[in-house]
Amino acid sequence: MSSGGQRFVVIVTVILVAALAIGEWFAYYAPHDRDSSASIDGDTVSYYISSNGNREYKAVLLDNGAYEEVVELYLYYDEGYASDVNEDNSPPIGSPQFTQKYYLQQIENYVSYKGMHSVSYADASELHDMMMTQISENGCRGKGVLFASGTLPSVLFDGSSSSVLRTWMTMGGTVYWVGNELGRYVSDGDGKIEVNGSEALTGVSGLTFLSGGSSAVSGDLRRELSLSSFDLSHSVAGAGVKNFGYYNGEYSTVGCIAVGAGQVCVLSGNFTMNQSKDVSNVICSGVSYWSKLEDYDEGTFTDKIEGTMSVQSVHGDLSLYLYVGAYHSIYGERYDL
């Protein structure tokens, strides 16, 4: 290609990237008039959504049993502990490399406008102190931690069933796991150590993990939550796993495991934009091992919409997740009814 042709390609690429950046800023961060509400009366749930313009929406009503959905989310990041994640990915032209830090920043952005109103970063020491306090005060329910490190810090999990992290989950805490095989590695200041501790961490024996990708079809809550990543790498399977998302008959892109009153939710795949959006939808919707779909609405509206949904006479704790934009969500809110 001539030098003139190369310059033309560079200019067009820069223009396209700038246009995408401006479009993303306008869709996600520019001031918009968005609001929603929900209420329950007997066996009927009523909801309201408003957003300027013509929009696609989805309403997902879940029965989560006695599980308390996460309202405080912590993003684990600690450069003092070894990690084991694949940061050698190929982002779209003009996009930053999906390092662990950049990935967490994307998660922070997504969950913030999808209804998670308490999001903060924490290192290993901060998480340890927080969990110990919550354990002593019986305050683990409603708290969640996202690990995208591929390893667990030894101060939280040392490969034994008596670890702080296992106790915290048993008392209602939720772990979201993104990376390689759950519980395989712990880390400290000197590097990572292989402990193969999935059973010690969860209390479930016979868990297996898929190292590479595999073909999958749409499964439970895939459409309802607009999940788009079908990469099954690092997914978990076993008798104690509840499967959501894309599913191949054994492994799924979202696998939830009950740990006492809490859970660990394994989200398969590697660092990509689609996967980070899926992770944010799973977190903000309140999906759990105990989740059952009560009712579901979807459609389009201009400026505002009101709707009703039906509830079975016998149910556990209900949560309604309302979001606008479907696969390109721009607003979300969860209501615990």
Side-chain angles (χ1 to χ4, degrees):
M1 182 182 294
S2 67
S3 59
Q6 290 176 335
R7 283 195 299 273
F8 176 77
V9 170
V10 170
I11 292 171
V12 170
T13 300
V14 170
I15 292 173
L16 288 174
V17 170
L20 288 172
I22 293 171
E24 180 174 302
W25 178 86
F26 182 80
Y28 298 135
Y29 308 114
H32 290 282
D33 183 17
R34 296 167 183 154
D35 193 16
S36 62
S37 63
S39 61
I40 185 169
D41 182 9
D43 60 357
T44 300
V45 170
S46 302
Y47 64 85
Y48 166 85
I49 309 172
S50 67
S51 180
N52 56 315
N54 185 262
R55 302 292 186 185
E56 184 177 1
Y57 82 97
K58 294 189 177 185
V60 186
L61 182 61
L62 296 176
D63 177 348
N64 281 324
Y67 172 74
E68 188 169 328
E69 297 86 353
V70 172
V71 294
E72 293 181 25
L73 179 66
Y74 300 88
L75 307 176
Y76 167 72
Y77 186 75
D78 195 329
E79 294 182 347
Y81 283 76
S83 60
D84 189 83
V85 292
N86 177 23
E87 296 183 334
D88 185 21
N89 44 63
S90 299
I93 294 176
S95 298
Q97 194 76 16
F98 258 81
T99 61
Q100 181 187 168
K101 187 173 184 179
Y102 179 72
Y103 179 86
L104 291 174
Q105 290 171 343
Q106 298 310 298
I107 295 293
E108 179 187 17
N109 288 336
Y110 289 143
V111 299
S112 294
Y113 62 75
K114 293 181 181 181
M116 184 60 63
H117 302 294
S118 177
V119 187
S120 57
Y121 288 85
D123 61 25
S125 177
E126 290 168 335
L127 281 181
H128 175 270
D129 292 347
M130 176 200 75
M131 289 180 180
M132 290 298 291
T133 298
Q134 291 172 358
I135 289 170
S136 66
E137 297 177 351
N138 195 24
C140 306
R141 291 175 178 269
K143 314 301 192 302
V145 178
L146 172 67
F147 292 94
S149 51
T151 66
L152 289 167
S154 56
V155 69
L156 299 182
F157 179 66
D158 58 5
S160 72
S161 59
S162 60
S163 66
V164 173
L165 188 58
R166 168 75 181 273
T167 302
W168 180 77
M169 285 191 290
T170 301
M171 295 182 66
T174 293
V175 165
Y176 298 103
W177 176 260
V178 179
N180 56 24
E181 183 179 323
L182 174 70
R184 181 174 183 178
Y185 296 110
V186 299
S187 62
D188 55 26
D190 297 322
K192 65 178 183 180
I193 305 167
E194 187 169 4
V195 297
N196 294 315
S198 62
E199 181 175 351
L201 180 62
T202 64
V204 178
S205 61
L207 294 176
T208 59
F209 298 88
L210 192 64
S211 58
S214 174
S215 59
V217 298
S218 182
D220 290 348
L221 297 183
R222 204 288 309 164
R223 178 184 179 90
E224 290 82 354
L225 295 182
S226 301
L227 304 179
S228 57
S229 175
F230 49 81
D231 183 356
L232 290 171
S233 301
H234 320 303
S235 55
V236 62
V241 180
K242 185 76 172 288
N243 299 293
F244 301 107
Y246 282 96
Y247 184 54
N248 73 353
E250 185 177 10
Y251 295 91
S252 62
T253 51
V254 183
C256 297
I257 304 168
V259 185
Q263 67 164 344
V264 56
C265 188
V266 178
L267 301 129
S268 71
N270 295 300
F271 294 166
T272 65
M273 191 67 75
N274 281 343
Q275 193 225 31
S276 62
K277 291 179 180 179
D278 287 0
V279 170
S280 65
N281 279 356
V282 168
I283 292 173
C284 292
S285 67
V287 166
S288 73
Y289 172 86
W290 299 273
S291 292
K292 295 185 294 183
L293 183 65
E294 280 281 323
D295 205 349
Y296 170 66
D297 281 350
E298 67 172 54
T300 58
F301 68 93
T302 300
D303 296 334
K304 65 181 180 180
I305 188 169
E306 296 180 73
T308 60
M309 309 177 83
S310 299
V311 178
Q312 296 181 17
S313 58
V314 178
H315 59 78
D317 292 338
L318 297 173
S319 69
L320 176 63
Y321 183 49
L322 304 172
Y323 65 109
V324 176
Y327 293 93
H328 304 285
S329 303
I330 58 173
Y331 169 80
E333 195 70 56
R334 189 187 72 235
Y335 297 91
D336 299 327
L337 304 172

Short mmCIF file of all heavy atoms in Angstrom, two decimals, residues 33-37 48-52 55 301 303-305 324 331:
data_model
loop_
_atom_site.label_atom_id
_atom_site.label_comp_id
_atom_site.label_asym_id
_atom_site.label_seq_id
_atom_site.Cartn_x
_atom_site.Cartn_y
_atom_site.Cartn_z
N ASP A 33 -32.94 11.92 30.83
CA ASP A 33 -34.05 11.83 31.77
C ASP A 33 -34.50 10.38 31.83
O ASP A 33 -35.30 9.92 31.01
CB ASP A 33 -35.19 12.74 31.29
CG ASP A 33 -36.35 12.74 32.27
OD1 ASP A 33 -36.14 12.32 33.42
OD2 ASP A 33 -37.46 13.15 31.87
N ARG A 34 -33.97 9.64 32.80
CA ARG A 34 -34.30 8.23 32.96
C ARG A 34 -34.77 7.98 34.38
O ARG A 34 -34.21 8.48 35.33
CB ARG A 34 -33.08 7.35 32.66
CG ARG A 34 -32.61 7.45 31.22
CD ARG A 34 -31.24 6.83 31.05
NE ARG A 34 -30.77 7.00 29.69
CZ ARG A 34 -29.48 7.01 29.33
NH1 ARG A 34 -28.54 6.89 30.25
NH2 ARG A 34 -29.14 7.17 28.07
N ASP A 35 -35.81 7.18 34.48
CA ASP A 35 -36.36 6.90 35.80
C ASP A 35 -37.13 5.59 35.73
O ASP A 35 -37.48 5.11 34.64
CB ASP A 35 -37.28 8.04 36.24
CG ASP A 35 -37.62 7.97 37.72
OD1 ASP A 35 -36.92 7.24 38.45
OD2 ASP A 35 -38.59 8.62 38.13
N SER A 36 -37.42 5.02 36.89
CA SER A 36 -38.22 3.80 36.95
C SER A 36 -38.75 3.63 38.36
O SER A 36 -38.27 4.25 39.31
CB SER A 36 -37.39 2.57 36.54
OG SER A 36 -36.31 2.38 37.43
N SER A 37 -39.74 2.76 38.49
CA SER A 37 -40.29 2.42 39.79
C SER A 37 -40.97 1.07 39.70
O SER A 37 -41.28 0.59 38.60
CB SER A 37 -41.28 3.49 40.27
OG SER A 37 -42.39 3.57 39.39
N TYR A 48 -42.82 0.91 36.10
CA TYR A 48 -42.82 2.11 35.26
C TYR A 48 -41.38 2.41 34.84
O TYR A 48 -40.46 2.32 35.66
CB TYR A 48 -43.40 3.28 36.05
CG TYR A 48 -43.17 4.64 35.43
CD1 TYR A 48 -44.02 5.15 34.46
CD2 TYR A 48 -42.09 5.43 35.84
CE1 TYR A 48 -43.82 6.41 33.91
CE2 TYR A 48 -41.87 6.69 35.29
CZ TYR A 48 -42.74 7.17 34.33
OH TYR A 48 -42.52 8.40 33.78
N ILE A 49 -41.18 2.74 33.57
CA ILE A 49 -39.86 3.12 33.06
C ILE A 49 -40.02 4.35 32.18
O ILE A 49 -40.95 4.42 31.37
CB ILE A 49 -39.21 2.00 32.22
CG1 ILE A 49 -39.22 0.66 32.94
CG2 ILE A 49 -37.77 2.38 31.83
CD1 ILE A 49 -38.77 -0.50 32.07
N SER A 50 -39.12 5.30 32.34
CA SER A 50 -39.10 6.45 31.43
C SER A 50 -37.68 6.68 30.94
O SER A 50 -36.71 6.53 31.69
CB SER A 50 -39.63 7.70 32.13
OG SER A 50 -38.75 8.11 33.16
N SER A 51 -37.55 7.03 29.68
CA SER A 51 -36.26 7.35 29.07
C SER A 51 -36.55 8.08 27.77
O SER A 51 -37.41 7.66 26.99
CB SER A 51 -35.44 6.09 28.81
OG SER A 51 -34.20 6.40 28.22
N ASN A 52 -35.86 9.17 27.54
CA ASN A 52 -36.15 9.97 26.34
C ASN A 52 -35.87 9.17 25.07
O ASN A 52 -34.92 8.41 24.99
CB ASN A 52 -35.33 11.26 26.35
CG ASN A 52 -33.84 11.00 26.47
OD1 ASN A 52 -33.43 10.18 27.28
ND2 ASN A 52 -33.06 11.70 25.66
N ARG A 55 -36.95 3.42 22.85
CA ARG A 55 -36.02 2.51 23.53
C ARG A 55 -36.56 1.09 23.60
O ARG A 55 -37.77 0.86 23.62
CB ARG A 55 -35.77 2.99 24.97
CG ARG A 55 -35.21 4.40 25.09
CD ARG A 55 -33.81 4.51 24.55
NE ARG A 55 -33.26 5.84 24.79
CZ ARG A 55 -32.08 6.24 24.34
NH1 ARG A 55 -31.33 5.42 23.64
NH2 ARG A 55 -31.64 7.47 24.61
N PHE A 301 -40.56 1.19 23.69
CA PHE A 301 -41.43 2.27 24.11
C PHE A 301 -40.83 3.60 23.68
O PHE A 301 -39.65 3.70 23.37
CB PHE A 301 -41.65 2.24 25.63
CG PHE A 301 -40.41 2.58 26.44
CD1 PHE A 301 -40.16 3.89 26.84
CD2 PHE A 301 -39.50 1.59 26.79
CE1 PHE A 301 -39.03 4.21 27.59
CE2 PHE A 301 -38.36 1.90 27.53
CZ PHE A 301 -38.13 3.21 27.93
N ASP A 303 -40.44 7.27 25.25
CA ASP A 303 -40.46 8.14 26.43
C ASP A 303 -40.83 7.42 27.73
O ASP A 303 -40.14 7.58 28.74
CB ASP A 303 -41.40 9.33 26.23
CG ASP A 303 -40.91 10.24 25.12
OD1 ASP A 303 -39.68 10.25 24.86
OD2 ASP A 303 -41.73 10.92 24.49
N LYS A 304 -41.91 6.62 27.75
CA LYS A 304 -42.25 5.94 29.00
C LYS A 304 -43.14 4.73 28.73
O LYS A 304 -43.77 4.63 27.68
CB LYS A 304 -42.95 6.88 29.97
CG LYS A 304 -44.31 7.37 29.49
CD LYS A 304 -44.93 8.32 30.52
CE LYS A 304 -46.29 8.82 30.05
NZ LYS A 304 -46.92 9.73 31.04
N ILE A 305 -43.16 3.81 29.72
CA ILE A 305 -44.02 2.64 29.62
C ILE A 305 -44.40 2.18 31.02
O ILE A 305 -43.62 2.32 31.97
CB ILE A 305 -43.33 1.48 28.85
CG1 ILE A 305 -44.32 0.35 28.60
CG2 ILE A 305 -42.11 0.96 29.61
CD1 ILE A 305 -43.81 -0.70 27.62
N VAL A 324 -32.94 -0.76 30.25
CA VAL A 324 -33.22 -0.14 28.96
C VAL A 324 -32.01 -0.32 28.06
O VAL A 324 -30.87 -0.08 28.47
CB VAL A 324 -33.52 1.36 29.14
CG1 VAL A 324 -33.72 2.04 27.79
CG2 VAL A 324 -34.75 1.55 30.03
N TYR A 331 -29.30 1.94 30.97
CA TYR A 331 -29.89 2.24 32.27
C TYR A 331 -30.47 0.95 32.86
O TYR A 331 -31.01 0.11 32.12
CB TYR A 331 -31.00 3.27 32.13
CG TYR A 331 -31.85 3.44 33.38
CD1 TYR A 331 -31.40 4.21 34.44
CD2 TYR A 331 -33.09 2.81 33.49
CE1 TYR A 331 -32.18 4.36 35.60
CE2 TYR A 331 -33.87 2.95 34.63
CZ TYR A 331 -33.42 3.73 35.69
OH TYR A 331 -34.17 3.87 36.81
#
